[in-house]
Amino acid sequence: MSDHQHSPVIDFESNSLPEGKQNDCRIFKAIQERHSELKLNTMKKIGFVYFLLAGTLCFSQEKLNYQKPSEEILELVDVPLAPSVLITDDSRFMVLLYRDAYKSIAELSESELRLAGLRINPKTNIGSRTNYYNNIKIKKIGTNEAVQVANMPNNPRLANFKWSPDQSMIAATNTTANGVEVWVLNLKDTQLTKLTAANVNANMRDVINWFKDGQSVLVKMLPDDRKDHINVAEAVPTGPIISSNDGKKAQNRTYQDLLKNPNDEFNFEQLARSELYKVNLDGSKTKWKEAAMYSGISFSPDGKYLMVTQVEKPFSYLVPYYRFPSTTAIYDTGGSLISTVLEVPLIEDLPKGFMAVRLGMRELSWRSDRPNTLIYVEALDQGDPEKQVDFRDEVFQLEAPFNTKGNSLLKLKNRYYKIEWGNENVAVAYDYWWNTRNLKGYLFDPSDFSVTPKIIEDRNYQDVYNDPGDFVTRRNKFGIDVLALKGTDAFLLGDGFTKEGQFPFVDKMDLTNSNKTRLYTSMLEGKKENLIDYDVEKDQLLVRIESASEYPNYYYKNLLKQGNTVQLTDFENPFTSIQNVHKEVINYTREDGLELSGTLYLPKGYDKDAKEKKPMILWAYPREYKDKNSASQNTQNPNEFTYPYWGSPIYWVTKGYVVLDGAAFPIIGEGEDEPNDTFRSQLVANGKAAIDAVDELGYIDRNRVAVGGHSYGAFMVANLLSHSDLFAAGIARSGAYNRTLTPFGFQSEERNYWEAPDVYYTMSPFMHADKMKTPLLLVHGEADNNSGTYPMQSERYFNALKGLGATVRLVMLPKESHGYRAKESILHLLWEQDQWLEKYVKQKEEVPSLPDPPGKDR
């Protein structure tokens, strides 16, 4: 009998030892020693698997409770949030909505079912990750003090805010321990009134819709025939789970939270079903529609019709609920069916490409400037972006009673994006094409199809320097936003990014000839001015003004009377400990001549003249471009308020670090070349250029530079550490590291694995784990719901690195999704990052220069 026959059999699928041997690590160490004697090619094929498995089984987990970071960091975390601001269109009232900065881990630990792309609390019947507000104040504009709203519910958890048609009231949901209620806020008397019991179903969107008279709301409620139980635990299987395909191509992204079995199907149906009730402001109610899985609900502008979409069976284990079969129908306000306008089958298979769409009517909506006209779009290329056609999409409108084919309004060269409606004779349509990053804007006459639409915008939508801005809108007689027109003039608000800096603007456009006149350019010294809205009749701007140390506050500014500015809010800076930290936007050049930029922060109390060399943290996120011009543009403003949110690296200016935040990491593929064809080399070039730039300023020790990133930024970090010697350590949060686990595209890559296997292999840090020689901190939310970034991406990458002897630490945050929410998690995250940086960056000793030049692609 051979030696192999005497060796223990390892089940690579189950990743376990034979029965009775689970704790015998000595066997695996012997296997490691045995394979260390094999030839190199055999080692590559076999040994790696044994090392990976041995590492998985022989190293114990670290037991650690939630930790808190140092006081310097902690005082920047534990601060109250300024409220969210809502302002009525008539400028009479300001509504201030308050919430806590973080959830608690107890909140994230409440019951949760993850079904068909939804995350639901089955006990309360609302999204389990809903952001709640816990207080409301109302301020009459022109007065100094905000008034506390009376009759607040106990322990308020408010969400789903919905204005009444005349903006005199706001309806909202309040989540209790046992369910969801509807409350109504009257702005005039500053009082909340409870409208329903805790039997509202807020699991799907469009929970509350106001009837046109403003005296009643349409509410989704739990059906009387709902089954008494939701199977939170796994049910006992009654058979295998089987999926099949009849030969069609179904290239779907790696969606999370999909249905997996009949038990999930049962739960989804029970949680999605609602009865629709008309609830009057006195609390009385009548059933409006029987139980179904209602998703979208929308009143026509005049309030005479409702467009209602409901999800149908069969369900799918491959795609989220919004690609399940659906039926869209039009009803009158009494609930009587007028017409079924659309029936969509299950959408599991689409043509390949980001611009692929299904056949038939799509993008149904109400035309904003007419009482009750439906708009929809149909593809002219069979929904297949590979087909070469003159026009991709056609827009139609359909009049009541909605039972015929619609009339054509216009054809679009690219894929439909949106329409800004003005009046019977004026509208602006937009289309776009991802592959070329092209966006077009068309000025057209909705009343006359014979008039050729005029292209008024045709640019690369990543070209921010040439962004003309967004059209100003106003509420029309139906209470719906339409173009704000004054005679033949329309108006635009622009961000105003230029090579010299940011200068937001207001333009007037004459729609008869497209000529523009600049009405206002923001030139505030040392401040950033965000233009929120423009009242065409009053010539009044609503703006938000901030600086690096001044918290954003709202103002009215009259353009006719320069200097006539009225302050609306007075929020104070809660981060005073870093308000005097030096901040600037630096510009530098990549080795190929591409211009880059980043926001540089110097350590608290740093003496610029002394130029003591400090450790640095570089934080970035790679972005793909199709041209160098767009990739080189700077959209950072040094006057933007310094806000240390949970994922920010800014905290470490208090610990003696230089921080380069938002460092530009463009990945460019011009013409027929795709950005990812040269992803790694461009990544390294970006990193080297950033370090060189700050090093030349004399602020840093380039041997003590850390790199960090979240999501695709984490993917960037792992690649940089694997293929360069630029960094002392890395922090990678919630990333994906093996692109073969996302075989039908990822981020901006639309080629599948079988079309570009070299790209998938080359870009995957997992495939190059043997090159990792730099300490790497991996962090991942245990309940990540982002497409492609399964938690196992970090788990398997960690095991590979550990098996190969890399310095690596994996922190899995319980209950956390792709972004982290619980205060306990965030404090611990900051502690982990601080400890890692202290050990592997700040305390790193000077090392001799490597034989290869810094940044060389390994």
Side-chain angles (χ1 to χ4, degrees):
M1 192 174 289
S2 71
D3 288 342
H4 290 293
Q5 288 173 305
H6 284 289
S7 298
V9 178
I10 300 175
D11 181 354
F12 293 108
E13 292 297 322
S14 65
N15 203 33
S16 62
L17 280 166
E19 186 177 355
K21 299 289 185 180
Q22 287 86 347
N23 297 318
D24 195 350
C25 286
R26 290 174 300 173
I27 295 176
F28 286 89
K29 290 178 180 177
I31 291 173
Q32 287 179 306
E33 292 171 2
R34 166 70 173 164
H35 280 279
S36 68
E37 301 171 0
L38 296 177
K39 294 180 180 179
L40 182 60
N41 62 339
T42 307
M43 181 70 131
K44 288 181 178 178
K45 294 179 181 178
I46 302 174
F48 172 74
V49 180
Y50 285 112
F51 281 132
L52 178 59
L53 185 56
T56 303
L57 296 176
C58 295
F59 290 82
S60 62
Q61 300 298 310
E62 181 178 334
K63 177 68 174 176
L64 188 68
N65 293 328
Y66 287 112
Q67 300 293 305
K68 292 182 179 181
S70 62
E71 284 300 320
E72 299 97 323
I73 293 176
L74 191 59
E75 71 172 320
L76 294 173
V77 180
D78 208 4
V79 297
L81 281 180
S84 298
V85 177
L86 304 176
I87 300 178
T88 57
D89 287 344
D90 61 8
S91 302
R92 292 182 61 204
F93 293 100
M94 176 184 297
V95 181
L96 305 176
L97 304 177
Y98 296 81
R99 68 179 178 88
D100 294 330
Y102 314 104
K103 289 181 177 288
S104 69
I105 197 66
E107 287 179 277
L108 292 190
S109 300
E110 293 176 357
S111 296
E112 180 178 76
L113 289 178
R114 304 170 189 173
L115 303 167
L118 295 173
R119 293 192 167 185
I120 293 169
N121 183 327
K123 184 176 181 181
T124 56
N125 291 292
I126 194 170
S128 53
R129 306 277 163 161
T130 302
N131 275 327
Y132 293 115
Y133 292 86
N134 54 26
N135 195 18
I136 307 176
K137 293 182 180 180
I138 296 178
K139 181 179 179 181
K140 288 185 179 180
I141 293 178
T143 62
N144 293 325
E145 297 297 326
V147 177
Q148 172 63 51
V149 166
N151 195 35
M152 294 286 294
N154 294 326
N155 302 313
R157 300 173 80 186
L158 302 167
N160 296 300
F161 294 89
K162 200 69 174 279
W163 284 107
S164 65
D166 64 357
Q167 292 192 329
S168 66
M169 293 175 285
I170 300 177
T173 59
N174 177 56
T175 302
T176 71
N178 299 308
V180 176
E181 310 160 334
V182 172
W183 291 63
V184 172
L185 169 64
N186 188 305
L187 270 62
K188 190 174 182 179
D189 64 15
T190 63
Q191 181 163 304
L192 271 168
T193 302
K194 182 178 174 181
L195 203 59
T196 74
N199 60 348
V200 173
N201 188 346
N203 291 329
M204 306 273 271
R205 58 194 177 97
D206 290 339
V207 183
I208 304 168
N209 284 273
W210 284 90
F211 281 84
K212 197 63 180 179
D213 60 4
Q215 298 303 303
S216 54
V217 289
L218 188 67
V219 180
K220 292 182 178 180
M221 291 191 168
L222 302 178
D224 291 335
D225 64 350
R226 177 189 263 197
K227 300 292 191 294
D228 290 336
H229 64 284
I230 299 296
N231 296 325
V232 177
E234 285 293 320
V236 177
T238 59
I241 307 303
I242 298 171
S243 299
S244 62
N245 188 49
D246 61 1
K248 292 182 179 179
K249 291 184 178 180
Q251 301 188 12
N252 294 306
R253 286 270 175 137
T254 49
Y255 296 111
Q256 306 271 45
D257 299 342
L258 299 178
L259 301 181
K260 299 179 181 65
N261 51 51
N263 187 54
D264 281 354
E265 292 189 60
F266 172 84
N267 287 340
F268 174 79
E269 183 175 11
Q270 291 303 307
L271 291 166
R273 291 175 74 250
S274 301
E275 291 174 338
L276 299 181
Y277 276 84
K278 182 178 181 180
V279 184
N280 299 317
L281 293 184
D282 63 5
S284 61
K285 64 179 184 179
T286 55
K287 183 183 289 189
W288 191 86
K289 197 79 174 64
E290 65 277 3
M293 292 179 283
Y294 299 109
S295 52
I297 299 175
S298 170
F299 275 89
S300 62
D302 65 359
K304 291 183 178 180
Y305 300 100
L306 283 86
M307 179 167 56
V308 178
T309 300
Q310 59 189 64
V311 176
E312 308 281 2
K313 293 182 177 180
F315 300 147
S316 170
Y317 294 179
L318 295 179
V319 294
Y321 81 94
Y322 50 80
R323 290 176 63 173
F324 290 178
S326 65
T327 298
T328 300
I330 308 298
Y331 298 87
D332 64 21
T333 54
S336 299
L337 177 67
I338 302 299
S339 176
T340 298
V341 294
L342 178 62
E343 294 178 313
V344 179
L346 177 64
I347 310 169
E348 285 188 339
D349 53 325
L350 286 172
K352 195 189 75 171
F354 291 161
M355 301 310 298
V357 295
R358 62 174 174 81
L359 297 177
M361 300 167 65
R362 67 179 209 281
E363 305 284 354
L364 270 72
S365 64
W366 296 106
R367 182 170 159 176
S368 304
D369 63 325
R370 302 189 74 179
N372 47 55
T373 298
L374 271 182
I375 300 297
Y376 65 90
V377 179
E378 288 191 359
L380 299 175
D381 58 2
Q382 301 298 303
D384 186 351
E386 294 296 320
K387 292 185 180 297
Q388 299 301 313
V389 295
D390 292 331
F391 297 96
R392 294 284 178 183
D393 276 346
E394 187 169 9
V395 182
F396 297 86
Q397 69 178 19
L398 181 61
E399 309 289 351
F402 316 107
N403 54 11
T404 61
K405 183 173 176 59
N407 298 317
S408 178
L409 281 181
L410 78 161
K411 293 181 179 180
L412 302 170
K413 294 183 180 295
N414 296 324
R415 197 66 79 209
Y416 173 83
Y417 177 47
K418 67 176 181 178
I419 293 180
E420 299 270 17
W421 299 99
N423 55 38
E424 288 289 340
N425 305 111
V426 175
V428 179
Y430 295 89
D431 65 19
Y432 76 108
W433 197 250
W434 178 86
N435 306 74
T436 59
R437 312 300 197 269
N438 179 250
L439 179 141
K440 289 182 173 65
Y442 305 80
L443 178 64
F444 72 103
D445 183 347
S447 67
D448 191 349
F449 183 63
S450 67
V451 177
T452 303
K454 179 181 179 181
I455 295 179
I456 58 173
E457 184 176 354
D458 189 357
R459 65 182 179 92
N460 183 320
Y461 58 73
Q462 292 180 311
D463 179 5
V464 295
Y465 287 0
N466 288 299
D467 186 347
D470 297 319
F471 280 103
V472 177
T473 61
R474 61 172 176 81
R475 280 162 54 92
N476 63 8
K477 62 182 180 181
F478 304 120
I480 311 294
D481 284 341
V482 295
L483 295 174
L485 301 174
K486 198 171 185 179
T488 60
D489 293 329
F491 302 84
L492 298 124
L493 299 181
D495 290 330
F497 289 109
T498 71
K499 191 171 183 177
E500 291 72 33
Q502 185 180 7
F503 307 98
F505 61 84
V506 181
D507 275 353
K508 179 175 68 174
M509 175 189 280
D510 186 338
L511 297 179
T512 62
N513 54 25
S514 301
N515 290 338
K516 293 181 182 177
T517 303
R518 183 65 46 95
L519 300 181
Y520 176 76
T521 302
S522 177
M523 303 287 286
L524 296 182
E525 187 70 29
K527 297 180 184 292
K528 178 183 178 183
E529 186 173 35
N530 304 280
L531 310 186
I532 309 301
D533 197 12
Y534 176 50
D535 188 319
V536 174
E537 300 302 325
K538 296 180 181 178
D539 206 26
Q540 177 177 269
L541 271 172
L542 172 64
V543 302
R544 189 174 64 244
I545 299 175
E546 62 193 270
S547 75
S549 60
E550 295 177 11
Y551 201 91
N553 276 289
Y554 290 83
Y555 300 79
Y556 277 138
K557 177 176 287 190
N558 193 296
L559 298 191
L560 288 177
K561 302 175 183 178
Q562 294 295 327
N564 188 357
T565 300
V566 178
Q567 185 167 351
L568 303 177
T569 62
D570 189 18
F571 305 136
E572 295 183 354
N573 180 4
F575 309 109
T576 54
S577 67
I578 60 170
Q579 67 181 1
N580 295 320
V581 165
H582 177 79
K583 176 182 183 179
E584 65 176 306
V585 173
I586 62 170
N587 298 289
Y588 50 96
T589 305
R590 202 166 76 174
E591 60 188 6
D592 61 357
L594 188 72
E595 294 180 353
L596 304 176
S597 62
T599 302
L600 181 69
Y601 300 82
L602 297 182
K604 182 179 177 181
Y606 185 80
D607 184 348
K608 289 182 67 178
D609 295 328
K611 290 194 174 181
E612 180 184 355
K613 292 186 179 297
K614 292 288 190 177
M616 183 174 85
I617 304 170
L618 186 159
W619 206 269
Y621 188 94
R623 301 186 186 280
E624 297 86 347
Y625 295 85
K626 289 300 291 180
D627 72 298
K628 290 180 179 179
N629 175 57
S630 300
S632 67
Q633 295 178 358
N634 176 18
T635 59
Q636 301 184 67
N637 190 328
N639 300 316
E640 188 171 80
F641 180 69
T642 302
Y643 182 82
Y645 71 98
W646 67 266
S648 171
I650 306 302
Y651 298 100
W652 281 273
V653 297
T654 67
K655 303 299 291 287
Y657 291 83
V658 173
V659 174
L660 184 63
D661 194 18
F665 264 69
I667 309 296
I668 307 165
E670 294 189 302
E672 297 298 318
D673 295 332
E674 291 297 328
N676 287 340
D677 294 342
T678 53
F679 179 85
R680 269 175 29 186
S681 60
Q682 292 194 63
L683 210 62
V684 173
N686 291 331
K688 184 177 185 302
I691 294 174
D692 287 346
V694 187
D695 188 27
E696 288 174 9
L697 293 172
Y699 299 143
I700 64 167
D701 172 3
R702 68 178 302 137
N703 290 312
R704 293 190 296 158
V705 178
V707 61
H710 191 91
S711 192
Y712 207 56
F715 177 69
M716 171 203 74
V717 168
N719 269 296
L720 283 169
L721 299 191
S722 298
H723 303 295
S724 78
D725 298 308
L726 291 166
F727 300 97
I731 298 171
R733 301 192 312 237
S734 298
Y737 309 102
N738 184 350
R739 300 281 42 144
T740 68
L741 296 178
T742 55
F744 290 109
F746 57 90
Q747 199 71 3
S748 293
E749 179 58 66
E750 64 175 355
R751 294 170 294 186
N752 66 43
Y753 168 77
W754 296 271
E755 292 173 314
D758 289 343
V759 169
Y760 278 68
Y761 178 86
T762 301
M763 291 181 66
S764 295
F766 182 89
M767 305 303 182
H768 308 281
D770 58 325
K771 297 180 180 179
M772 179 64 72
K773 301 297 185 288
T774 307
L776 175 62
L777 174 63
L778 294 168
V779 184
H780 215 117
E782 193 179 53
D784 195 332
N785 67 336
N786 185 55
S787 177
T789 56
Y790 292 109
M792 75 172 179
Q793 287 272 7
S794 288
E795 293 167 343
R796 293 187 177 181
Y797 186 41
F798 169 75
N799 283 333
L801 293 172
K802 183 172 65 174
L804 290 163
T807 301
V808 62
R809 179 179 177 90
L810 172 63
V811 179
M812 300 297 293
L813 297 174
K815 309 297 181 180
E816 293 293 353
S817 187
H818 193 60
Y820 314 146
R821 305 283 292 281
K823 187 174 183 179
E824 294 89 339
S825 301
I826 291 163
L827 292 178
H828 186 85
L829 167 73
L830 295 172
W831 178 83
E832 290 280 0
Q833 293 177 155
D834 194 37
Q835 297 293 309
W836 196 257
L837 293 167
E838 183 73 21
K839 182 175 182 179
Y840 293 110
V841 181
K842 183 180 282 189
Q843 301 301 329
K844 181 184 178 184
E845 296 181 0
E846 193 79 24
V847 295
S849 299
L850 297 171
D852 291 330
K856 183 175 180 181
D857 197 340
R858 289 202 291 255

